[in-house]
Amino acid sequence: MGKNTALIILCFLFTKFISLGQSSKTDSLLGLLQNEMVDTTRIDILNELGNELILKSQKESQDYYIEARQKSIDVNDTIRIVTSLIGLCDVYSMNGEYKRALEYITEAMNYAYNNYDLLATCHSRLAIEYYNLGKDEESIKHDRLALHYDMLLKDSFKIAYDLHNIGTYFLGTEHNDSATCYYKKSNEYIKNIDDELTAYNNSRIGFAHSHAKEYDTAINYHLLALERFERDSSLYEMAMEETYLANLQSLKNNYTKTREHIDNAKKYSYDLNNHALIKTVHHLYYELYNNQKNYEKALEHTLLKQAYGDSIEKKNQENIIERLRTEQSYGEQQRTLESTEKSNKELASKQQKLLILSISTIILLIICIVVLIENRLKQIKNKELLVQVNQINDYQKKLLSIIGHDLRDSVGNMKNFTELMHYNLLENKSINQMVTKFVPMVNSTYDLLNNLLFWSKNNSNHFTPQYESVSNLKLITETIKHVDHLAKAKEIEIVEMVDEAFLECDKNMMLTILRNLLTNAIKFSYPNSKIHIGSNAVENMILFSICDHGVGMTNEQITKVLSEDINERSKGTAGEHGSGLGLSLCFSFVKKHNGQISAVSSPGKGSTFYLHLPLSKHQKIDSKNVERPVACWIKKHILK
């Protein structure tokens, strides 16, 4: 399945490339660049040139995308910056440099800030790159996030592709019923029933029924896909569907139909001069004649299959024939040797005794190795326990340092203030000024004590979540009410964007998580700014997001914040103090709910923290190996 899908993607791009008349279009675009024009028009032409040349000259394509990105940054055009970054991602991805491709799409995510359309595009592209890198859990997570944003945008076409991607994930894990459900749902979202995606959906549904050994149903869906591809004369897809149908008919022992489909596949493959397809066709012929016991014909197609396979590897035809002859000679020698060995029973008996002795020796050796491994594992486990003890000691030292520093400052200031009050050494005006300064200090101390209380409970073996059904709207309302005085003190407006949904959670833990995240957002926001807090359900997940427009973070700072350790204290934009304990507590509570915390940020532009939780306490988000549908549709259909 994986190799077939990759070939489909490559041929899809190739046929589209040819149908557009690439050479003439490229010349026209290059001619336009010689004229005077506004910057945005020039950027669009550069991006289009990158798109046109991506299959012909990746170096030229890369250069045009780089130039488009720089000019887009100069005019501060976010959409065109993202377009050029996705183009660069495509160039490196097609060249197999997936890590470099991931760097560019991650950079695009920073520019897609608060734009649902761009976020959906970037999450879809991230899903592809994580899949290419073998990180399937990250891949399916971004597929679902892309679907979430496309659902908010109500973009039926993009939703259809997202559903196709998720369906292909289930197909790859052999959850055939779930895969079929997603493909059919994808078809429902396609307004134009003649769109090519319907053909790919029907083909994948055919695979699902084939896995379930429902061959007649599978054949019907592959025929629907073939009919759609024939309308566009898509020879590659037509050839592939004919091979699928040939395999299905062979499983039904319908050799007449099998031969018809193979003949059709052969015609399309030779028209395309695609040696990989031709090799597949001759393999199907071999299986057909072999099943019919026509060994002479089977051998003929075996040789042809081998010849085309070697031609794909760029070997000389004469060397292919010579190697085949050598292999045939070698086969004859092997048969002669086997005949000699069979006639020599005494030698075989000695070999058997030697084998028994060897096996006995190997068993003893394995026992020794197992004992050594067990001892080694015990040593490693002891070392790990020692590391854990040292980590706990460091953790407690850091915690005591935080408590000693923050409480000493707060209590010391309060002590000095009360002594001055006691001896009547302050005027009313001075008292008011000092009380005003003490308010944020007292709030910070209160939050520290509150977090310490939860932290001490959290480190108890008996502190487990008490699940109940809670409204996300109610959680956010109570959280805002708790920190509203902090926001008003900095004249910060908190904006709610909530689609009400219910989840099973420990209410107090959730309030602690949201309160700490929102308090941090206020702390690092500039006065007279806005903070957006939102939440909505996406399939089996519920997503919370808190977005500020404050100081932001670098990638290094994000990594440090998400390390789940107690972070160093840092002051807010108004000099607010923090213990660094809040985020560590949030990570612990989120783990108890089988959730995740992630963040996206850019220095000077603010930060967004995402909280992903399952709707049910029993649910976990999992992902397996999954095939990816047409990879480059994003650039073509979204960022026009």
Side-chain angles (χ1 to χ4, degrees):
M1 282 288 294
K3 292 181 178 177
N4 288 340
T5 301
L7 290 171
I8 290 173
I9 294 170
L10 183 59
C11 189
F12 171 80
L13 291 170
F14 181 76
T15 53
K16 293 296 180 187
F17 169 83
I18 295 298
S19 64
L20 288 172
Q22 188 259 355
S23 296
S24 59
K25 186 172 182 180
T26 301
D27 293 340
S28 298
L29 291 170
L30 289 172
L32 288 173
L33 283 180
Q34 307 304 316
N35 302 323
E36 292 293 331
M37 61 187 73
V38 296
D39 289 336
T40 53
T41 302
R42 182 172 294 276
I43 293 168
D44 290 338
I45 293 174
L46 289 169
N47 278 325
E48 187 65 22
L49 276 168
N51 181 33
E52 288 299 315
L53 292 170
I54 195 168
L55 289 174
K56 182 180 180 182
S57 173
Q58 293 184 2
K59 179 63 174 67
E60 289 183 83
S61 176
Q62 175 185 329
D63 291 341
Y64 284 121
Y65 279 130
I66 290 174
E67 186 179 352
R69 179 183 64 167
Q70 186 56 53
K71 289 186 179 297
S72 301
I73 293 173
D74 292 341
V75 298
N76 196 26
D77 191 318
T78 301
I79 293 178
R80 289 178 170 86
I81 293 173
V82 173
T83 302
S84 57
L85 286 170
I86 290 179
L88 286 167
C89 172
D90 289 339
V91 171
Y92 282 100
S93 181
M94 292 181 68
N95 201 33
E97 299 181 48
Y98 304 127
K99 289 186 178 180
R100 191 70 184 275
L102 186 62
E103 291 176 6
Y104 280 113
I105 197 62
T106 302
E107 182 182 346
M109 277 289 295
N110 293 331
Y111 287 102
Y113 198 71
N114 283 340
N115 185 317
Y116 287 174
D117 190 24
L118 296 181
L119 283 171
T121 301
C122 290
H123 280 300
S124 292
R125 202 64 187 80
L126 277 168
I128 293 170
E129 293 314 316
Y130 277 119
Y131 169 78
N132 289 335
L133 290 168
K135 297 182 178 181
D136 303 317
E137 184 175 347
E138 286 292 320
S139 178
I140 192 64
K141 181 182 78 173
H142 287 288
D143 270 333
R144 294 184 184 279
L145 285 171
L147 177 61
H148 159 64
Y149 287 115
D150 286 331
M151 292 288 282
L152 292 177
L153 294 168
K154 298 180 180 179
D155 189 325
S156 299
F157 184 76
K158 289 161 63 179
I159 291 171
Y161 270 93
D162 293 333
L163 291 169
H164 180 101
N165 288 355
I166 298 172
T168 306
Y169 158 73
F170 283 111
L171 184 64
T173 56
E174 296 189 5
H175 289 79
N176 300 316
D177 291 340
S178 297
T180 301
C181 179
Y182 275 100
Y183 288 134
K184 288 183 177 180
K185 196 171 181 180
S186 173
N187 279 338
E188 291 174 5
Y189 276 93
I190 301 173
K191 294 181 179 179
N192 179 7
I193 197 169
D194 283 334
D195 187 86
E196 267 192 325
L197 183 57
T198 59
Y200 286 110
N201 283 336
N202 288 332
S203 181
R204 298 302 181 272
I205 294 172
F207 281 122
H209 285 289
S210 177
H211 292 166
K213 297 185 178 180
E214 299 169 357
Y215 300 133
D216 289 333
T217 306
I219 288 171
N220 289 335
Y221 276 103
H222 280 298
L223 286 173
L224 285 174
L226 177 60
E227 180 183 356
R228 175 60 186 80
F229 288 134
E230 285 175 342
R231 294 179 195 170
D232 288 345
S233 298
S234 301
L235 295 182
Y236 184 89
E237 287 83 356
M238 291 161 62
M240 292 302 298
E241 292 300 324
E242 292 286 2
T243 62
Y244 303 150
L245 288 164
N247 276 321
L248 289 168
Q249 293 292 356
S250 178
L251 290 170
K252 293 180 62 181
N253 296 324
N254 189 341
Y255 298 132
T256 301
K257 286 286 187 181
T258 302
R259 176 62 184 270
E260 290 178 7
H261 289 300
I262 297 175
D263 288 343
N264 290 337
K266 176 183 177 182
K267 178 181 181 303
Y268 303 142
S269 301
Y270 275 94
D271 287 345
L272 287 169
N273 195 27
N274 186 311
H275 288 196
L277 281 174
I278 294 171
K279 176 184 174 183
T280 301
V281 167
H282 286 296
H283 177 72
L284 291 172
Y285 275 126
Y286 158 75
E287 290 185 336
L288 173 64
Y289 288 120
N290 193 55
N291 289 335
Q292 294 177 332
K293 300 184 189 258
N294 188 342
Y295 300 121
E296 183 179 352
K297 282 284 189 181
L299 177 60
E300 176 186 339
H301 286 285
T302 298
L303 295 174
L304 286 170
K305 169 193 166 184
Q306 188 66 51
Y308 276 102
D310 288 339
S311 70
I312 294 172
E313 299 170 2
K314 298 180 181 178
K315 291 185 178 180
N316 186 276
Q317 187 68 24
E318 292 180 357
N319 292 334
I320 295 171
I321 297 172
E322 184 62 31
R323 186 170 62 82
L324 290 173
R325 289 174 179 171
T326 303
E327 289 177 354
Q328 184 178 4
S329 175
Y330 176 77
E332 291 174 357
Q333 292 175 6
Q334 285 292 102
R335 287 190 291 272
T336 303
L337 180 60
E338 289 173 1
S339 176
T340 303
E341 288 177 346
K342 287 179 181 179
S343 65
N344 195 347
K345 295 181 179 180
E346 183 178 354
L347 179 60
S349 177
K350 291 180 180 180
Q351 288 176 339
Q352 186 175 10
K353 291 178 182 179
L354 179 61
L355 179 62
I356 293 172
L357 179 62
S358 300
I359 291 173
S360 301
T361 304
I362 291 172
I363 290 173
L364 290 173
L365 182 61
I366 290 173
I367 292 172
C368 294
I369 293 173
V370 168
V371 172
L372 291 173
I373 290 174
E374 287 182 350
N375 291 335
R376 180 60 179 165
L377 290 175
K378 288 180 181 178
Q379 293 177 0
I380 293 173
K381 188 173 182 181
N382 290 336
K383 288 182 179 180
E384 290 176 349
L385 289 173
L386 181 61
V387 171
Q388 290 176 5
V389 170
N390 291 333
Q391 288 176 344
I392 291 172
N393 288 336
D394 292 341
Y395 188 85
Q396 290 178 341
K397 287 178 182 178
K398 194 169 187 179
L399 183 63
L400 290 173
S401 173
I402 291 171
I403 296 170
H405 182 277
D406 289 3
L407 289 182
R408 182 178 63 188
D409 288 350
S410 299
V411 174
N413 288 330
M414 290 295 293
K415 176 178 177 297
N416 294 334
F417 178 64
T418 53
E419 286 180 351
L420 292 172
M421 289 283 292
H422 177 72
Y423 294 109
N424 296 320
L425 297 177
L426 294 174
E427 300 176 353
N428 289 337
K429 183 177 179 181
S430 298
I431 292 172
N432 290 334
Q433 290 175 347
M434 293 189 72
V435 167
T436 301
K437 293 180 179 180
F438 282 154
V439 169
M441 181 181 66
V442 171
N443 285 331
S444 175
T445 305
Y446 174 78
D447 288 338
L448 172 61
L449 292 174
N450 202 24
N451 282 333
L452 284 171
L453 175 62
F454 275 110
W455 182 86
S456 62
K457 289 182 178 180
N458 184 49
N459 283 271
S460 168
N461 293 330
H462 303 290
F463 189 59
T464 57
Q466 303 298 315
Y467 290 99
E468 59 180 303
S469 181
V470 183
S471 163
N472 60 343
L473 178 60
K474 185 175 181 181
L475 288 172
I476 288 178
T477 302
E478 290 190 27
T479 302
I480 293 175
K481 183 178 179 182
H482 182 85
V483 302
D484 190 52
H485 64 287
L486 299 176
K488 288 180 178 177
K490 296 178 76 172
E491 298 184 4
I492 293 174
E493 179 184 354
I494 300 177
V495 181
E496 299 178 50
M497 298 183 295
V498 183
D499 292 337
E500 188 171 15
F502 289 84
L503 68 155
E504 290 185 12
C505 66
D506 185 302
K507 181 179 178 182
N508 290 329
M509 285 189 182
M510 284 301 302
L511 287 173
T512 300
I513 295 169
L514 294 172
R515 184 174 67 248
N516 273 289
L517 292 177
L518 188 54
T519 300
N520 280 348
I522 294 171
K523 175 181 175 182
F524 295 107
S525 289
Y526 296 112
N528 299 307
S529 63
K530 291 183 179 181
I531 294 176
H532 294 80
I533 179 168
S535 177
N536 61 295
V538 183
E539 294 195 357
N540 67 330
M541 291 192 306
I542 189 161
L543 177 68
F544 291 86
S545 62
I546 299 176
C547 172
D548 65 66
H549 300 273
V551 297
M553 296 180 289
T554 64
N555 290 335
E556 182 180 354
Q557 289 173 320
I558 293 174
T559 302
K560 195 170 185 180
V561 166
L562 298 180
S563 66
E564 305 185 21
D565 193 7
I566 297 179
N567 291 286
E568 296 180 0
R569 296 181 295 271
S570 56
K571 291 186 178 182
T573 55
E576 302 99 322
H577 290 277
S579 66
L581 184 61
L583 271 178
S584 178
L585 193 61
C586 289
F587 283 116
S588 178
F589 285 175
V590 168
K591 277 189 175 180
K592 291 179 184 291
H593 286 78
N594 295 323
Q596 295 178 347
I597 293 179
S598 60
V600 177
S601 183
S602 183
K605 296 185 178 180
S607 304
T608 299
F609 279 80
Y610 295 99
L611 175 59
H612 313 260
L613 294 170
L615 287 172
S616 167
K617 65 182 179 181
H618 303 296
Q619 293 177 341
K620 286 187 179 181
I621 303 169
D622 194 11
S623 66
K624 302 290 183 183
N625 187 30
V626 55
E627 289 186 343
R628 189 66 42 192
V630 178
C632 293
W633 70 270
I634 300 169
K635 169 166 57 54
K636 178 181 175 185
H637 294 291
I638 298 176
L639 297 173
K640 292 185 177 179

